[in-house]
Amino acid sequence: MRRLIPTGDMRRPVEFTEDAQPAPAPDEVLIKVEAFSPNRGETFLLEAPAAGLAPGKDVAGLVVQAAADGSGPPAGTRVVGHPPGGGWAEYAAVPTHSVAVLPDGIDAVRAAALPLAGITALRLLRAAGAVTGRRLLLTGASGGVGHYLTELAAAAGAEVTAVTATAERGARLRELGAAAVVHDVAYADGPFDVVLESVGGGVLADALARLVPGGTLVWFGQAGRVPATVNFFDLLAGPENAVIRHFHYAGAPYGADLATLVRLVAGGRLHPEIGRTDDWSRTADVLVDLRERRVRGNAVLTTGASR
């Protein structure tokens, strides 16, 4: 089968190779991949790839081999999955605890955009606690996580202010329920009960300063790749007793969260923002665009596989 592997050259970060079809563990299904969605964080792993790195955590396709232990869906079932890796290939082995069955109304392209970004958004909102009636500031809102978070939080009754680098990248956020979209934290009309921060650098300190006393900042990324610096004395003049909470989405099983996301999409309550869809022969170009923030929402690559 064909698989994409890292080159170590960020001008063309991946290339095709021939590889053996994966041999699933007893608790894994074998999926014929129809579509996969790379995430911007994965592009950073390609800079100096570890030996044997097989990227790919968001896949959708058809189960062609059921799990030997009897768990999970049978062969012939359309699913979305979140494997530890290996998804940028014609076939992927995925633990049955990290797949969800797809209804006929959800195609592989939309499904592939759900796992990492959607699971992160769900778990972030749980970390933030009850948001109904609360003012929420979301930085770095133009990616896949930001679009899901905006729609989910607004639907839960939060008043969401989204921060995006440009107007074009934030164009859909108002439609998804954002009360305001600004292009610099300095223009965010606070104070806010909760800040969800993913940029780092000076943005974290600026966002923290806009919390109410006793408010919470959940730090879930550093997309700007610049460490954050916080001045203790600035907090004394602003959000006293603020809570800064580190967040990382990872932790299997993922199946229940995937099933929730699928149910919300099927019910018209969640709308994946897919800024780029292309054949997987153009994966290298898409990865460069994703890394350079030229993609709004998620990017999805299709393999040409069909039912």
Side-chain angles (χ1 to χ4, degrees), residues 80-81 97-103 106 114-115 119 122 126 254-267 270:
V80 57
H97 58 58
S98 294
V99 299
V101 174
L102 293 174
I106 300 180
L114 289 174
I119 293 168
L122 278 180
R126 292 180 192 139
Y254 300 106
D257 284 342
L258 284 173
T260 296
L261 295 166
V262 168
R263 175 174 55 82
L264 291 172
V265 173
L270 188 67

Side-chain angles (χ1 to χ4, degrees), residues 6 15 17 45 107 141 157 161 227 246 257 267 293:
E15 65 184 8
T17 189
L45 299 178
D107 59 38
T161 295
H246 169 262
D257 284 342
R293 298 179 177 174

Side-chain angles (χ1 to χ4, degrees), residues 111-183:
L114 289 174
L116 191 148
I119 293 168
T120 299
L122 278 180
R123 294 182 175 186
L124 263 170
L125 281 180
R126 292 180 192 139
V131 297
T132 304
R134 304 183 80 190
R135 304 193 73 216
L136 188 152
L137 177 66
L138 172 62
T139 67
S142 60
V145 174
H147 281 83
Y148 288 132
L149 265 172
T150 296
E151 187 166 22
L152 291 169
E159 181 183 330
V160 179
T161 295
V163 185
T164 67
T166 66
E168 190 278 330
R169 289 179 61 78
R172 278 271 290 145
L173 293 170
R174 277 195 177 274
E175 296 175 35
L176 296 176
V181 178
V182 298
H183 310 304

Side-chain angles (χ1 to χ4, degrees), residues 244-307:
I244 302 176
R245 178 174 177 178
H246 169 262
F247 172 89
H248 184 211
Y249 92 99
Y254 300 106
D257 284 342
L258 284 173
T260 296
L261 295 166
V262 168
R263 175 174 55 82
L264 291 172
V265 173
R269 298 167 61 191
L270 188 67
H271 300 83
E273 178 67 13
I274 301 172
R276 178 87 173 268
T277 305
D278 218 326
D279 184 84
W280 72 324
S281 62
R282 292 189 47 84
T283 300
D285 296 328
V286 173
L287 289 171
V288 171
D289 286 344
L290 191 64
R291 178 185 175 82
E292 298 302 321
R293 298 179 177 174
R294 293 193 285 262
V295 178
R296 186 179 72 194
N298 286 85
V300 177
L301 286 306
T302 59
T303 65
S306 60
R307 296 181 63 176

Side-chain angles (χ1 to χ4, degrees), residues 58-241:
D58 292 4
V59 300
L62 188 71
V63 175
V64 293
Q65 182 179 323
D69 67 0
S71 64
T77 305
R78 295 176 61 249
V79 295
V80 57
H82 193 48
W88 300 354
E90 290 184 283
Y91 294 89
V94 186
T96 57
H97 58 58
S98 294
V99 299
V101 174
L102 293 174
D104 288 339
I106 300 180
D107 59 38
V109 169
R110 284 194 296 162
L114 289 174
L116 191 148
I119 293 168
T120 299
L122 278 180
R123 294 182 175 186
L124 263 170
L125 281 180
R126 292 180 192 139
V131 297
T132 304
R134 304 183 80 190
R135 304 193 73 216
L136 188 152
L137 177 66
L138 172 62
T139 67
S142 60
V145 174
H147 281 83
Y148 288 132
L149 265 172
T150 296
E151 187 166 22
L152 291 169
E159 181 183 330
V160 179
T161 295
V163 185
T164 67
T166 66
E168 190 278 330
R169 289 179 61 78
R172 278 271 290 145
L173 293 170
R174 277 195 177 274
E175 296 175 35
L176 296 176
V181 178
V182 298
H183 310 304
D184 191 303
V185 173
Y187 302 117
D189 185 16
F192 297 94
D193 301 292
V194 177
V195 170
L196 303 177
E197 211 293 287
S198 66
V199 179
V203 172
L204 186 145
D206 290 345
L208 182 62
R210 282 159 176 76
L211 274 176
V212 299
T216 298
L217 183 147
V218 184
W219 190 9
F220 70 99
Q222 192 165 287
R225 310 192 73 186
V226 177
T229 300
V230 177
N231 186 327
F232 175 82
F233 296 102
D234 288 343
L235 297 184
L236 293 180
E240 292 185 5
N241 298 315

